[in-house]
């Protein structure tokens, strides 16, 4: 069973479209995260949720809106996609001692 | 604020040779330290972690790292690398006060040459 699963794995879309990425974890963790990995492989936190509540919201355009329907899910919705949004997006979760488990990533390409 | 510096962006090494990937961090508080590995087109996998206790930590796939508080370093080592170790390696730091986001270094690309 995959611990942290993201869908879709690949997402190709046109500028201006709205898209969502889903994340689910079956580890029973309370905290979930979204990270963005740019073309130079640099990883940076976007959002952090604990028990469905937003804890951290880094400097991210408000076109990005996370939603956590329950502790096991943290979805990422992106409005009005731009070329610069092209990246790999990783979901992660953790419980104690901040040992984070990552999903396989979603490669978003905006054309 | 915490930060992580990985001094080498690329490290080529011959198969069966030893390797060290360097990581330095800055933080005004105590830290948790991690090394993650990313194989091509895959997610991040935890290699090892330092939370407390012994400064020498052993991880998966024969890797180990040593926490050096005075030098604020957490270098990753392996005595003999394999072709399959070719990947991107990320050092990360977090605040031990709670489940806080990881702050990553920019990564080191390890290329093992046959």
């Amino acid at each position: 069973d995959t611990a942290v699963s993201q869908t879709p794995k690949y997402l190709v879309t046109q500028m201006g479209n709205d898209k969502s990425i889903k994340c689910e974890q079956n580890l029973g963790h309370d905290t979930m995260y979204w990270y963005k990995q740019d073309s130079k492989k640099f990883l940076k936190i976007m959002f952090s949720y604990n028990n469905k509540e937003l804890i951290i919201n880094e400097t991210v355009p408000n076109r990005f809106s996370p939603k956590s329907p329950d502790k096991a899910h943290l979805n990422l919705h992106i409005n009005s996609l731009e070329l610069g949004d092209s990246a790999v997006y990783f979901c992660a979760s953790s419980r104690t001692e901040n040992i984070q488990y990552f999903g396989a990533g979603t490669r978003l390409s905006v054309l | 604020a915490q930060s992580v510096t990985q001094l080498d962006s690329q490290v080529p090494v011959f198969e069966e040779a030893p390797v060290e990937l360097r990581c330095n961090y800055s933080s005004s508080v105590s830290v948790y330290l991690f090394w993650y590995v990313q194989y091509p087109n895959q997610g991040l996998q935890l290699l090892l972690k330092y939370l407390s206790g012994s400064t020498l930590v052993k991880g998966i796939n024969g890797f180990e790292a040593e926490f050096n508080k005075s030098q604020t370093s957490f270098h990753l080592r392996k005595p003999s690398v394999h072709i399959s170790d070719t990947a991107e390696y990320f050092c990360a730091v977090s605040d031990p006060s709670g489940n806080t986001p990881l702050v990553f270094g920019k990564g080191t690309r390890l290329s093992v040459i046959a």
Side-chain angles (χ1 to χ4, degrees), chain B residues 1-113:
Chain B
Q2 297 169 328
S3 67
V4 176
T5 302
Q6 292 184 242
L7 296 162
D8 305 299
S9 59
Q10 297 186 59
V11 173
V13 62
F14 286 104
E15 194 174 17
E16 297 184 8
V19 70
E20 178 180 83
L21 305 184
R22 296 180 292 170
C23 172
N24 286 88
Y25 69 93
S26 70
S27 175
S28 57
V29 298
S30 58
V31 295
Y32 286 163
L33 291 157
F34 305 85
W35 276 99
Y36 282 84
V37 60
Q38 184 179 26
Y39 297 105
N41 298 316
Q42 293 189 28
L44 283 84
Q45 182 181 1
L46 181 67
L47 266 182
L48 47 77
K49 61 188 181 292
Y50 172 79
L51 305 178
S52 64
S54 173
T55 57
L56 181 64
V57 292
K58 294 188 183 298
I60 62 171
N61 301 341
F63 284 93
E64 64 180 32
E66 186 156 18
F67 169 57
N68 188 319
K69 188 174 181 179
S70 62
Q71 296 186 6
T72 60
S73 68
F74 191 55
H75 301 332
L76 181 70
R77 301 185 185 98
K78 186 169 181 177
S80 175
V81 295
H82 303 291
I83 296 287
S84 59
D85 292 323
T86 295
E88 195 85 24
Y89 291 79
F90 293 94
C91 182
V93 64
S94 76
D95 184 337
S97 65
N99 282 336
T100 55
L102 296 172
V103 175
F104 285 92
K106 292 191 175 182
T108 296
R109 171 76 179 169
L110 174 63
S111 298
V112 180
I113 306 159

